């Protein structure tokens, strides 16, 4: 039987495995996709906002030629750490439910059952996009994930949203030769957009290279256009591709099946847990990383989520930190 099963093979899940294994516990990680699956889905050559040392886990240096690492740097780094630590990682296996109690849990997956004494949930949030809730959102030319600009050369592209992901996608596709229209629900580009990105986007809008509509809501997406309501009235925007980059949220259905209770006083539905140990209201069940913020996905990042691993491992090993 395992001492700890960690759900999620992202950076924080890997950090949890490192810290608990180093304390002599028998640990495995289960992941429904690839190793660091969220990073695999990030845009090609995406630049992290953090410097390398803030992304390091387990004391392993993060070598990179860039001041801020690229997605590909991180993919190489985390797989090397996992390999060097000889972590037991079970990829492409989906968790379905959790039964039993601390000391005698059974995790059911699409491939069988795994007995374990404790469970750590480090599932992040990137797999479930926030829906627009409009007709046509499920059409094949609509995506909640942006990868790279090159297929959109000389195409009409609508980008929905006004934060970092939308800003970077709009700028990249514009420079690659796409005709980009940005649709923003608010009155302006979000102040949360990074300080070196926001002026670039604002200037491209001002010079007319990117068309932007503010205080605008989407009513319908068709195969040829996006129908919107602007302050001046209804508008039809011809488009070949639509990127609805409106954010993501944790898998609340899975959290519920595992027994993670949301905080009723928190609008973001963050899990109830002890901040000293990260144990939830279900003994033996812990949460780590961005999932701790619920729908407030900017509360936790790799940089501060790494510390959760130390708290959980120390508690499980009977050590006070």
């Amino acid at each position: 039987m395992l001492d700890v099963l960690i759900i999620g093979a992202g950076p924080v899940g890997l950090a949890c495995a490192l810290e608990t294994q180093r304390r002599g516990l028998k640990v495995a990680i289960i992941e429904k996709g690839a190793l660091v699956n969220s990073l695999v889905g990030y845009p090609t050559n995406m630049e992290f906002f953090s410097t390398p040392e803030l992304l390091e886990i387990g004391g392993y240096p993060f070598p990179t030629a860039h001041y801020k690492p690229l997605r590909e740097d991180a993919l190489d780094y985390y797989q090397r750490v996992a390999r060097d630590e000889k972590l037991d990682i079970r990829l492409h296996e989906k968790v379905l439910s959790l039964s039993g109690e601390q000391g005698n849990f059974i995790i059911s997956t699409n491939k069988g059952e795994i007995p374990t004494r404790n469970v750590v949930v480090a599932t992040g949030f990137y797999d479930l996009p926030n829906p627009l809730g409009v007709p046509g959102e499920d059409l094949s030319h609509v995506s909640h994930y942006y990868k790279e600009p090159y297929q959109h050369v000389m195409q009409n592209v609508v980008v929905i949203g006004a934060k970092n992901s939308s800003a970077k996608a709009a700028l990249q596709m514009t420079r690659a030769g796409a005709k980009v229209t940005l649709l923003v629900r608010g009155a302006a580009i979000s102040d949360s957009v990074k300080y070196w990105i926001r002026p670039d986007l604002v200037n491209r809008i001002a010079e007319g290279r990117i068309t932007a509509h503010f205080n605008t809501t989407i009513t319908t997406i068709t195969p040829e256009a996006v129908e919107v309501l602007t302050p001046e009235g209804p508008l039809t925007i011809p488009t070949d591709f639509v990127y609805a980059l409106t954010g993501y949220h944790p898998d609340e259905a899975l959290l519920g099946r595992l027994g993670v209770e949301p905080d009723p006083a928190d609008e973001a539905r963050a899990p109830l847990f002890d901040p000293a140990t990260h144990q939830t209201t279900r003994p033996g069940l812990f949460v780590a990383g961005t999932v701790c913020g619920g729908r407030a996905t900017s509360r936790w990042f790799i940089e501060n989520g790494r510390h959760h691993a130390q708290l959980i491992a120390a508690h499980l090993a009977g050590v006070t930190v």
Side-chain angles (χ1 to χ4, degrees):
M1 176 181 283
L2 296 171
D3 293 310
V4 189
L5 180 67
I6 297 160
I7 306 174
V12 174
L14 294 175
C16 289
L18 290 174
E19 296 294 338
T20 49
Q21 183 167 277
R22 288 175 178 179
R23 285 168 169 80
L25 301 176
K26 187 177 181 181
V27 184
I29 303 175
I30 187 168
E31 165 62 56
K32 72 179 185 305
L35 186 68
V36 287
N37 194 63
S38 292
L39 273 63
V40 173
Y42 283 179
T44 303
N45 291 323
M46 186 210 75
E47 182 182 67
F48 280 86
F49 296 136
S50 302
T51 52
E53 64 273 12
L54 296 177
L55 302 176
E56 292 174 354
I57 60 173
Y60 283 84
F62 190 146
T64 175
H66 306 94
Y67 172 63
K68 293 181 179 179
L70 303 181
R71 161 188 176 267
E72 288 72 14
D73 297 327
L75 289 171
D76 288 341
Y77 170 75
Y78 291 118
Q79 66 86 16
R80 178 173 61 84
V81 172
R83 184 183 64 242
D84 289 352
E85 288 284 325
K86 298 180 173 59
L87 297 177
D88 179 356
I89 304 177
R90 306 168 190 192
L91 300 174
H92 303 285
E93 185 169 358
K94 186 176 183 179
V95 170
L96 302 177
S97 63
L98 172 65
S99 60
E101 58 187 16
Q102 186 174 29
N104 192 29
F105 282 129
I106 296 292
I107 285 280
S108 297
T109 79
N110 62 330
K111 296 184 178 180
E113 295 184 339
I114 305 173
T116 181
R117 294 182 175 87
N118 300 279
V119 176
V120 177
V121 183
T123 48
F125 61 85
Y126 192 63
D127 296 311
L128 292 173
N130 296 329
L132 295 171
V134 301
E137 185 174 6
D138 58 349
L139 291 171
S140 61
H141 70 301
V142 180
S143 177
H144 290 277
Y145 297 92
Y146 167 75
K147 197 70 177 179
E148 58 185 14
Y150 307 110
Q151 67 171 320
H152 304 310
V153 175
M154 302 171 65
Q155 299 288 290
N156 293 313
V157 183
V158 165
V159 176
I160 302 169
K163 294 189 177 181
N164 285 294
S165 296
S166 302
K168 294 183 75 171
L171 288 167
Q172 279 195 0
M173 286 189 284
T174 297
R175 293 195 168 104
K179 180 177 174 54
V180 174
T181 299
L182 186 66
L183 303 180
V184 182
R185 183 174 54 183
I189 302 301
S190 173
D191 289 335
S192 67
V193 175
K194 298 300 180 181
Y195 67 88
W196 65 92
I197 299 173
R198 192 176 190 276
D200 191 2
L201 180 59
V202 169
N203 288 332
R204 301 296 75 74
I205 293 170
E207 71 183 13
R209 290 189 65 190
I210 295 175
T211 300
H213 297 282
F214 297 98
N215 296 311
T216 294
T217 56
I218 295 91
T219 57
T220 305
I221 301 173
T222 72
E224 297 83 23
V226 177
E227 304 287 345
V228 302
L229 185 61
T230 74
E232 292 75 35
L235 182 65
T236 298
I237 303 171
T239 185
D240 301 299
F241 296 92
V242 178
Y243 283 99
L245 304 180
T246 51
Y248 310 90
H249 62 272
D251 189 342
E252 294 172 346
L254 173 62
L255 295 177
R257 293 196 300 273
L258 296 175
V260 177
E261 294 185 35
D263 184 346
D266 188 344
E267 291 184 358
R269 296 179 56 80
L272 282 169
F273 63 92
D274 181 347
T277 65
H278 280 253
Q279 185 167 223
T280 67
T281 56
R282 185 173 188 177
L285 180 65
F286 299 79
V287 288
T290 54
V291 74
C292 296
R295 288 184 174 244
T297 54
S298 60
R299 288 180 183 173
W300 299 101
F301 301 94
I302 298 172
E303 300 93 306
N304 53 9
R306 300 174 302 172
H307 183 56
H308 301 171
Q310 297 170 340
L311 295 173
I312 293 169
H315 176 76
L316 290 174
V319 178
T320 301
V321 294

